[in-house]
Amino acid sequence: MKKTLVLTLALILLSAGQAMATDLRALNVQNAKIYANDDQNAELRVNFDWFHDGQNSNFAGLRRNNNVFNLPRIDIRQSCTSCPIPFRIGLNTSLNAGNTELATFGTDGDTEVFERSAFGFGNLGLTLEAAIVQTDSFNVTGYINQHFAMLHNNLLNNLTLRPQNGRNAYGFQTGALYQADLGDHFTWYGDVGYRFDVPQRGAVQHSFVYYNEAVLGLGSEDQFGLSLGLLGNTVYTNNIGTDLRLVPGIIAKVGDAGQIRVGMPIGINGTSPDIGVQVSYFSSF
């Protein structure tokens, strides 16, 4: 798997040509600006994600390690800017793998007690976005986002961003994207919304989503840049808790309309996964 990912990235980088003056796109926040370009009004994101969480129970002498992979996660969106209200529709899904292992730890090292793993499709997402404010330097877009259950095992998404809370869970989210140019080379992307998930078992889970990501362009015509995201999701049903992650990253333009984005999510609080790696390819066409 590692060799395949490295080869894919190498092929993309080797095909890079002269970069066009396209805006650098955030890694985890969708752009609020609906770009008016008849030749390139579709956006494609291909994402490879890994999230890891480890928990120790000193009282019981046990260690639990959880891993989740998106292999890959694909998001495609089509814009219409000739309508009275510019809008965008999107479709996303993923191929996931997950595993958990429980082991005892001590001075002689770890001893594995059991391990479970799963492989399969993630949920199918449908998105509809409509422009509210569209200017050169500030944009606001309202959206509704639905996730339809395709997961067959809880291991496939228990650490991912905006979890659907297990198998056979329907999710609905509505809110607003915002995007502000705070300088010639600095853009702030944001997403604030309300979400509910209907798990297979238990009460409906209500949550508040608040994502922010800043992108600083560097080099000639912002051919590369730095990003810093603060991603939060608070589930206020039954005090489930908050998932808060800090995601530093880098972005580089490749080819005529492509970008490679790399980030490292770091869990800030105890209910967040410890660490992860995200690699994403973006292209407009």
Side-chain angles (χ1 to χ4, degrees):
M1 178 58 205
K2 293 181 179 179
K3 292 181 179 179
T4 302
L5 181 58
V6 170
L7 180 59
T8 302
L9 293 177
L11 290 175
I12 293 173
L13 293 173
L14 288 174
S15 66
Q18 180 65 35
M20 297 177 64
T22 54
D23 294 340
L24 295 175
R25 307 298 172 88
L27 175 61
N28 286 301
V29 183
Q30 172 71 26
N31 44 281
K33 186 175 183 180
I34 299 179
Y35 293 86
N37 188 331
D38 293 336
D39 296 328
Q40 293 182 328
N41 54 8
E43 300 178 351
L44 172 67
R45 292 167 173 82
V46 181
N47 309 279
F48 295 87
D49 306 310
W50 166 67
F51 302 108
H52 169 79
D53 187 53
Q55 299 176 351
N56 291 340
S57 174
N58 294 325
F59 176 77
L62 297 174
R63 174 181 290 117
R64 181 186 297 274
N65 290 309
N66 298 317
N67 294 279
V68 169
F69 301 86
N70 290 319
L71 306 167
R73 174 168 51 92
I74 298 176
D75 188 317
I76 185 167
R77 309 203 181 196
Q78 175 70 44
S79 302
C80 177
T81 56
S82 60
C83 305
I85 299 178
F87 71 91
R88 186 166 52 202
I89 57 175
L91 177 69
N92 61 82
T93 189
S94 61
L95 189 63
N96 295 4
N99 77 283
T100 182
E101 62 179 23
L102 185 66
T104 60
F105 64 90
T107 57
D108 297 332
D110 292 355
T111 301
E112 183 177 307
V113 177
F114 77 90
E115 181 178 4
R116 293 185 298 151
S117 60
F119 180 79
F121 285 101
N123 286 346
L124 177 67
L126 295 176
T127 299
L128 175 63
E129 304 163 333
I132 299 174
V133 177
Q134 292 284 291
T135 68
D136 291 338
S137 59
F138 182 72
N139 299 270
V140 178
T141 296
Y143 69 86
I144 57 174
N145 187 349
Q146 298 183 81
H147 280 92
F148 299 95
M150 294 179 63
L151 287 168
H152 72 277
N153 193 298
N154 294 344
L155 294 176
L156 297 177
N157 75 331
N158 62 353
L159 302 179
T160 55
L161 297 165
R162 298 181 184 173
Q164 278 73 59
N165 301 305
R167 62 181 181 178
N168 296 329
Y170 167 79
F172 176 89
Q173 182 171 323
T174 184
L177 304 167
Y178 54 91
Q179 177 179 340
D181 294 334
L182 303 181
D184 292 337
H185 306 280
F186 185 71
T187 304
W188 192 282
Y189 296 89
D191 181 353
V192 58
Y194 159 76
R195 179 182 183 91
F196 72 83
D197 293 278
V198 184
Q200 185 180 38
R201 298 179 180 178
V204 175
Q205 297 182 4
H206 303 272
S207 59
F208 177 53
V209 176
Y210 41 100
Y211 280 18
N212 286 276
E213 190 164 348
V215 176
L216 176 64
L218 302 170
S220 176
E221 297 185 350
D222 292 348
Q223 293 183 7
F224 62 97
L226 304 175
S227 65
L228 182 63
L230 180 62
L231 314 178
N233 182 15
T234 298
V235 183
Y236 51 88
T237 301
N238 299 328
N239 296 318
I240 291 177
T242 295
D243 181 352
L244 193 61
R245 311 184 196 193
L246 188 70
V247 188
I250 57 175
I251 308 168
K253 294 182 180 179
V254 294
D256 291 336
Q259 297 176 22
I260 289 288
R261 294 92 54 80
V262 179
M264 180 175 289
I266 302 169
I268 295 179
N269 55 353
T271 57
S272 304
D274 296 332
I275 198 169
V277 175
Q278 295 182 278
V279 179
S280 173
Y281 176 70
F282 167 86
S283 181
S284 59
F285 58 93

